[in-house]
Amino acid sequence: MQLFESLGFHWERSVVPAKIPVHSIERVCFRFYKMLPEFVWDAGVLEGNPFTFPEVKTLLDGVTVGGHKLFDQEQILNLAESSKTLLGLVKTKKFALNKNTFCTLHGQVAKNEALEWGLFRGEGQEINFSPMVSLGEKGVYTPMPTEKDAINLNKKFASGLHALNQEVHQPFEQACLFFLFGALQQFFFDGNKRASRLMMNGILMSNGMDAISVPAATVQEFNHKMVDFYVSKDATEMLAFLLRQHPEFEKIEQLNKKDR
């Protein structure tokens, strides 16, 4: 199937529910704003950041927290800043599923952390280093190699985006697939999952659907399923996992049970 080939993985499309609660963009943006400390903390935990939830709230209130490395503090602040940028784009209806938005968000969430940020691998000065994703006992996952001007990475991105726009019309499915697409293809040197989750939530909120956070309590399950995804290139389990993290998951189950 062309869709699967363009993205680089496959999945059982039946796992995606036909009905997802839809609200006003103002309402979903308000929830995202109110939940910002939780979203930032959850994302930090996924990166192994040692900041506790109360410390994240304190830092976001503009008060420094002692006893932490400056790197860890900057990572939390980058997560917050990129989330605020995403919120602004959605609220002003300027969010777009395109490379420019993707790179803008990456430029904030991975600032001073990735080898280069805000541009695809090979579009900057570094053209020889290619990242690898450690899969623990299952080895490593090696994405497309870095090359000057990122010619093939750009072709893959354009092909994947075209497939998502032409063949995936359900916003929830499209959003989650973009996250997995970005995580698999590794368009940047680092921060791919973080930037891709921001894009995922941009798609959801732009369509009146609540944003998804991967709870800190599920970090082990998330990592395990992501490893399986990298190995098998089967996204079915990850899609089901992301669905369970939706804040209205129980309502979604009820809505779709009536049609079975």
Side-chain angles (χ1 to χ4, degrees), residues 29-221:
C29 283
F30 179 74
R31 174 186 173 272
F32 186 80
Y33 172 75
K34 296 295 289 185
M35 296 290 291
L36 189 61
E38 286 86 349
F39 273 67
V40 170
W41 178 61
D42 284 341
V45 171
L46 290 182
E47 298 303 317
N49 193 294
F51 268 71
T52 65
F53 178 61
E55 288 173 336
V56 167
K57 291 189 70 175
T58 299
L59 190 60
L60 297 193
D61 286 338
V63 180
T64 58
V65 178
H68 286 290
K69 296 178 181 178
L70 291 176
F71 172 87
D72 294 326
Q73 175 177 291
E74 184 169 27
Q75 186 178 69
I76 294 297
L77 291 174
N78 285 347
L79 285 164
E81 190 64 28
S82 55
S83 296
K84 291 175 183 176
T85 295
L86 172 64
L87 182 61
L89 289 172
V90 174
K91 288 178 71 174
T92 57
K93 298 183 179 179
K94 293 180 180 178
F95 176 85
L97 181 55
N98 59 27
K99 181 183 174 182
N100 183 60
T101 303
F102 195 23
C103 288
T104 295
L105 293 172
H106 182 267
Q108 293 184 335
V109 79
K111 182 180 179 182
N112 293 325
E113 184 176 347
L115 186 58
E116 294 175 337
W117 52 90
L119 66 172
F120 282 4
R121 292 187 284 119
E123 291 183 333
Q125 294 183 348
E126 178 57 56
I127 59 173
N128 296 311
F129 175 75
S130 294
M132 294 186 299
V133 179
S134 175
L135 305 180
E137 62 184 18
K138 295 189 178 180
V140 296
Y141 164 70
T142 305
M144 186 182 299
T146 302
E147 60 178 350
K148 183 175 173 57
D149 298 326
I151 296 172
N152 286 312
L153 268 179
N154 275 292
K155 286 181 179 178
K156 172 56 73 173
F157 185 79
S159 174
L161 216 60
H162 179 77
L164 285 173
N165 284 321
Q166 296 298 314
E167 299 187 48
V168 183
H169 305 295
Q170 214 273 28
F172 179 84
E173 183 178 21
Q174 187 185 74
C176 294
L177 292 178
F178 185 90
F179 161 60
L180 295 170
F181 176 55
L184 183 69
Q185 301 300 336
Q186 298 280 298
F187 293 101
F188 309 106
F189 286 113
D190 199 3
N192 289 281
K193 289 193 289 292
R194 278 169 282 166
S196 298
R197 283 199 306 273
L198 286 167
M199 291 292 289
M200 173 184 77
N201 283 328
I203 297 169
L204 290 173
M205 291 192 292
S206 294
N207 285 278
M209 297 179 180
D210 278 326
I212 293 173
S213 186
V214 178
T218 68
V219 62
Q220 187 173 355
E221 182 183 4

